[in-house]
Amino acid sequence: MNDWIQNNQANREATVITPEHVQLRFQTAGLGSRAAAQLIDTAILLLVNITLFIVFSIVVYGSDEQAWSDLEDFAIAILLFVLFLINAGYFFILEAFWSGQTLGKRWMKLRVIRENGQPITFLSAAIRNLFRIIDVLPSGYFLGAMVSFFHPKDKRIGDLVAGTIVVAEGGQNVPPSRKQKAQQKEGVGAPLLLDDRQKQAITREDWQLLSTFVTRLDSLSSEKQKELGTQIAERFIEKLEWNEGEQVEADPIVFLQRLYWELRKEWQLGK
């Protein structure tokens, strides 16, 4: 029974149909990886809080100046306000402006996206983090963990309301080594050479579609690789106004892989 639960948690996937009718699959982040990311973020916040308390104590109570003694109550109020902003805004600010990642999520290679596969928005980041107040009840994220455990896409309450989902980057928690990257590049040849106009034509949604397809090639059958590769390549041929369409049609997979390695330095994680 325990083995079945572990396998079920590890193999959960979310399927997304893009506006181009391309089906993408994301491995959802289970309780283990999300808990680890949460612990990392909590440790960071704890370290920040302790540091601020130490600095505050040194400045206010370690000084013999009468001015600090007169402003002691005011300084404490300012400190509490700053701590509130940091602890309340940490998750929201980072997820909203760091492409759905906090420091803990980035360390664990997790990312928050919307249900349609697109990047998280300012509003959805605000909603999902506002509902942390409910997810933490009665303590230690118990309610959120229970909802996430039984939900087919590992969603907590905040995700349900905001329409978001936490996924594993590239389907795994271990990034490729430099040697593996070099081998991958060598296998597909040199990256494509694009001018500035072509690079600017690529949107974040385009990059997410391309990177998801390329990083999940090994999990697709040969027939599926060719089918999806042809559809996605046609999209980029049109976007880039690529003149060598016939050559791309002969091997769309290699074209997409070369395009991926060219754009990766422009759209690398965390940008």
Side-chain angles (χ1 to χ4, degrees):
M1 180 65 177
N2 289 336
D3 291 339
W4 179 86
I5 291 175
Q6 292 174 356
N7 291 332
N8 187 42
Q9 285 279 315
N11 296 324
R12 287 180 176 176
E13 289 187 340
T15 301
V16 173
I17 305 297
T18 70
E20 293 75 27
H21 305 290
V22 177
Q23 177 176 288
L24 300 177
R25 292 183 178 179
F26 298 93
Q27 180 182 336
T28 59
L31 283 178
S33 56
R34 292 182 69 167
Q38 180 67 34
L39 286 175
I40 293 172
D41 289 325
T42 302
I44 292 172
L45 284 174
L46 180 61
L47 181 61
V48 171
N49 290 339
I50 293 175
T51 301
L52 286 177
F53 270 116
I54 293 175
V55 172
F56 173 82
S57 299
I58 293 175
V59 172
V60 176
Y61 297 107
S63 175
D64 295 331
E65 296 184 13
Q66 184 63 33
W68 282 115
S69 299
D70 296 337
L71 296 175
E72 180 179 325
D73 293 339
F74 179 74
I76 292 176
I78 293 296
L79 173 65
L80 294 178
F81 180 71
V82 171
L83 290 175
F84 170 78
L85 290 180
I86 292 175
N87 288 275
Y90 172 84
F91 293 95
F92 158 63
I93 295 297
L94 285 183
E95 288 181 1
F97 296 100
W98 211 19
S99 301
Q101 289 185 308
T102 60
L103 294 172
K105 287 186 177 68
R106 189 172 188 184
W107 183 275
M108 297 302 300
K109 302 301 178 186
L110 307 181
R111 187 182 298 276
V112 184
I113 62 174
R114 286 185 286 168
E115 289 181 323
N116 59 5
Q118 295 182 349
I120 189 172
T121 64
F122 184 90
L123 179 60
S124 53
I127 294 174
R128 80 181 301 271
N129 285 290
L130 178 63
F131 274 80
R132 284 183 184 274
I133 300 173
I134 298 178
D135 280 311
V136 299
L137 298 175
S139 64
Y141 281 90
F142 177 80
L143 184 58
M146 292 300 295
V147 173
S148 176
F149 180 82
F150 289 105
H151 194 277
K153 295 182 180 179
D154 297 294
K155 289 188 172 192
R156 62 177 177 84
I157 297 175
D159 292 314
L160 291 172
V161 179
T164 56
I165 187 171
V166 182
V167 299
E169 288 281 11
Q172 58 184 10
N173 286 340
V174 181
S177 63
R178 291 184 179 179
K179 182 178 180 180
Q180 289 174 324
K181 291 179 181 178
Q183 291 173 342
Q184 290 171 357
K185 287 185 179 180
E186 185 179 352
V188 301
L192 294 178
L193 296 179
L194 304 177
D195 57 35
D196 291 337
R197 178 190 59 80
Q198 290 172 318
K199 291 180 180 180
Q200 291 173 3
I202 303 299
T203 64
R204 180 172 293 278
E205 287 72 21
D206 295 328
W207 165 249
Q208 190 170 40
L209 174 64
L210 175 64
S211 62
T212 301
F213 174 73
V214 171
T215 56
R216 290 183 175 275
L217 272 175
D218 293 339
S219 65
L220 301 174
S221 64
S222 300
E223 295 77 11
K224 204 65 177 177
Q225 286 182 14
K226 185 175 181 181
E227 177 187 349
L228 293 178
T230 300
Q231 295 179 48
I232 299 173
E234 289 176 352
R235 167 176 176 159
F236 283 99
I237 289 175
E238 181 179 354
K239 274 242 176 185
L240 299 173
E241 298 180 4
W242 198 254
N243 297 324
E244 303 175 9
E246 294 182 358
Q247 182 179 352
V248 174
E249 292 175 1
D251 199 339
I253 304 299
V254 171
F255 168 75
L256 293 174
Q257 288 176 316
R258 294 179 64 193
L259 180 62
Y260 168 82
W261 285 109
E262 171 63 19
L263 294 174
R264 191 175 187 276
K265 56 179 174 286
E266 301 288 334
W267 291 96
Q268 56 187 328
L269 295 181
K271 180 175 179 181

